[in-house]
Amino acid sequence: MRKKYIVGFPVLGNYYIPIYNFLNNIVDKELVEVLMPNKITDETIVNGAKVSPDFVCVPFKYNMGNYIEAIEKGANVLIQAGGGCRYGYYFELQEQILKDMGNDFIFISFLEEEGLNIKKLYNKLKILNPNLRFSEFCYQGGLAVSTVKIMDDFETYMRNNYNLQINENEFDKIEEEMLNDILKINTLSKLVKFKNKYVKKLKQVNLRKINNDDIKIGIVGELFTSMEPFSSFFIEKELLNYKCIVKRYTTVTYLILQKGFAKKKVMKKASGYIDYHFGADGPETIAHTLELIDKNYDGIIHIKPFGCSPEINAMPILQKISREKNIPIMYLTFDEQTTSTGIKTRIEAFYDMLKMKKDQNYANIKEEKVYE
Ligand code: SF4
């Protein structure tokens, strides 16, 4: 028998797995089916862009593609999480477009004028389980946030150390197994076991030391393109193929648990360049760039969707920093018309330039030593 509610939600990197798990743990399974979303493909963005206004940024278009795919699989409840930039104004438009296409569904948006709190979130999601107790909702919510935090910690560790693995692909295998295991977590004790299991596995991976000639690249910029690899043409994997050491700051853990507390620190770090917070992750982009320079990174890649105003505002400041601190910064903008060949060519050229710069610096240092 067909369930009363079939729930679809958009994809963002691997986070769709703990989100699916959380929803599945709180719904009334007699009444509701939660759809595991399809991973993003070319078709997702093509379908999303077809029905979206040209001027909106690509996260809107990707989400529309996700919603269309969910509706095709039978979804009649769609969830949108809102956002701290103009994304927060998008949900009404998304709902209207999908309804104008003839679809009948309930649209749950987490956006609230006076801000979302746990009680409001509970009330919104109660439609999926009228008997859901508030205490159980809080328990599962806490479990989901803790799962995301642990997943982010593991993924950050693997990204930072990917090219230090002595045996190739060990992290890939661990990650695949880890993502499957997340689906089995529905209690705190299972989460603790999960954490212990993967701490042990990650510790067993043999790593070499960082060499002076390793090229270190930091990625800064807009959150969706930072966290959804398809939208940035898998830029991290591409850089890792060049055996670079790669760092990025933006994760869901950072956004929901750390960003609020880090605001003062961010503004202090960026204070020579900005006086006010200009929205979304723009100031973070400036502060993180300065931090990467302090940590002797060789180059920085700034990524953003076409038309993303907070990141467009950050760009002239980054250009100034690049000139003043003599640090190469490459700017990449993504939309549905960007091609992977163009991105790959630019990454290759950027890497070659950083390598030549680094080799030249070492040659100069050696030469200075000879004449000392
Ligand atoms: S941060 Fe920029 S690209 Fe991302 S949703 Fe907001 S405006 Fe769009």
Side-chain angles (χ1 to χ4, degrees):
M1 198 184 77
R2 196 185 153 99
K3 305 265 168 88
K4 187 174 174 200
Y5 292 131
I6 301 175
V7 183
F9 60 92
V11 175
L12 177 67
N14 289 330
Y15 296 108
Y16 72 97
I17 298 172
I19 294 170
Y20 170 86
N21 205 33
F22 165 67
L23 291 171
N24 221 19
N25 287 342
I26 60 160
V27 298
D28 175 350
K29 294 200 177 56
E30 297 288 307
L31 195 73
V32 180
E33 178 189 346
V34 182
L35 294 175
M36 177 64 94
N38 300 348
K39 278 212 153 198
I40 291 177
T41 63
D42 286 335
E43 228 170 275
T44 314
I45 181 65
V46 168
N47 289 338
K50 245 188 237 164
V51 298
S52 303
D54 272 349
F55 56 85
V56 293
C57 49
V58 276
F60 182 110
K61 298 172 186 175
Y62 277 104
N63 283 188
M64 287 301 276
N66 293 146
Y67 289 138
I68 291 168
E69 284 168 4
I71 289 170
E72 279 169 1
K73 289 202 293 188
N76 54 16
V77 177
L78 299 176
I79 296 180
Q80 206 252 36
C85 54
R86 65 179 154 144
Y87 202 86
Y89 301 100
Y90 280 168
F91 75 95
E92 283 154 329
L93 189 56
Q94 290 177 324
E95 182 178 17
Q96 196 54 53
I97 293 172
L98 291 166
K99 289 207 162 144
D100 286 350
M101 288 166 68
N103 300 304
D104 186 20
F105 58 90
I106 297 167
F107 203 57
I108 302 177
S109 163
F110 293 164
L111 202 83
E112 280 286 317
E113 241 175 64
E114 290 100 34
L116 188 71
N117 60 37
I118 187 102
K119 193 81 196 174
K120 286 181 188 166
L121 189 61
Y122 166 69
N123 288 332
K124 279 175 187 274
L125 290 175
K126 240 188 136 190
I127 185 176
L128 304 176
N129 185 352
N131 298 320
L132 180 67
R133 282 177 289 116
F134 184 60
S135 55
E136 177 62 11
F137 176 77
C138 292
Y139 178 80
Q140 290 297 341
L143 195 63
V145 172
S146 309
T147 307
V148 166
K149 162 91 176 63
I150 292 168
M151 182 181 110
D152 273 338
D153 287 348
F154 289 160
E155 292 205 329
T156 301
Y157 177 82
M158 289 191 269
R159 181 167 48 250
N160 292 348
N161 292 296
Y162 195 85
N163 277 328
L164 304 178
Q165 295 173 91
I166 290 174
N167 303 316
E168 275 188 20
N169 301 330
E170 274 192 88
F171 283 144
D172 291 335
K173 283 182 205 144
I174 292 176
E175 189 184 28
E176 200 184 327
E177 196 187 331
M178 178 185 88
L179 295 175
N180 279 328
D181 274 357
I182 288 177
L183 291 171
K184 297 172 201 149
I185 299 170
N186 57 3
T187 63
L188 204 53
S189 65
K190 284 186 186 167
L191 179 65
V192 172
K193 274 190 198 143
F194 167 85
K195 183 178 175 183
N196 292 341
K197 175 178 170 184
Y198 287 97
V199 165
K200 202 168 156 200
K201 276 183 179 274
L202 290 172
K203 270 191 187 159
Q204 282 166 353
V205 175
N206 287 324
L207 303 176
R208 67 167 174 84
K209 291 222 163 67
I210 293 191
N211 295 325
N212 284 340
D213 58 354
D214 281 321
I215 301 289
K216 296 196 289 178
I217 298 181
I219 299 178
V220 295
E222 191 268 343
L223 64 97
F224 186 86
T225 36
S226 296
M227 294 188 291
E228 173 44 60
F230 192 93
S231 72
S232 63
F233 294 93
F234 299 90
I235 187 169
E236 281 174 17
K237 276 266 178 271
E238 197 61 41
L239 289 169
L240 292 172
N241 287 340
Y242 282 98
K243 305 285 173 213
C244 299
I245 306 291
V246 178
K247 179 170 177 67
R248 84 153 133 101
Y249 291 86
T250 312
T251 60
V252 165
T253 301
Y254 177 75
L255 295 173
I256 61 173
L257 296 180
Q258 297 159 350
K259 188 175 169 178
F261 299 106
K263 213 167 185 174
K264 267 194 183 158
K265 200 175 142 209
V266 164
M267 292 308 292
K268 194 172 166 206
K269 185 80 191 161
S271 60
Y273 296 92
I274 53 170
D275 290 329
Y276 305 101
H277 199 288
F278 53 85
D281 286 342
E284 279 75 4
T285 292
I286 312 285
H288 292 154
T289 298
L290 292 165
E291 203 174 302
L292 289 164
I293 295 170
D294 292 346
K295 289 183 175 161
N296 290 324
Y297 270 67
D298 299 293
I300 291 163
I301 301 183
H302 175 248
I303 59 177
K304 70 166 196 322
F306 176 75
C308 170
S309 29
E311 295 301 331
I312 290 172
N313 289 336
M315 283 173 70
I317 305 166
L318 292 182
Q319 284 160 357
K320 187 168 188 254
I321 294 173
S322 170
R323 277 193 306 273
E324 284 179 6
K325 312 266 183 193
N326 190 25
I327 176 100
I329 303 182
M330 178 166 74
Y331 304 89
L332 295 178
T333 299
F334 303 97
D335 68 9
E336 71 273 18
Q337 276 149 26
T338 314
T339 64
S340 71
T341 322
I343 298 295
K344 280 183 179 171
T345 311
R346 291 193 62 196
I347 291 174
E348 188 182 354
F350 190 62
Y351 172 81
D352 286 345
M353 187 267 290
L354 295 181
K355 183 100 184 75
M356 279 192 300
K357 188 172 179 258
K358 196 154 193 168
D359 291 347
Q360 187 60 48
N361 284 347
Y362 278 119
N364 291 345
I365 291 168
K366 272 189 197 158
E367 209 168 286
E368 276 167 23
K369 280 193 175 156
V370 170
Y371 291 109
E372 264 171 13

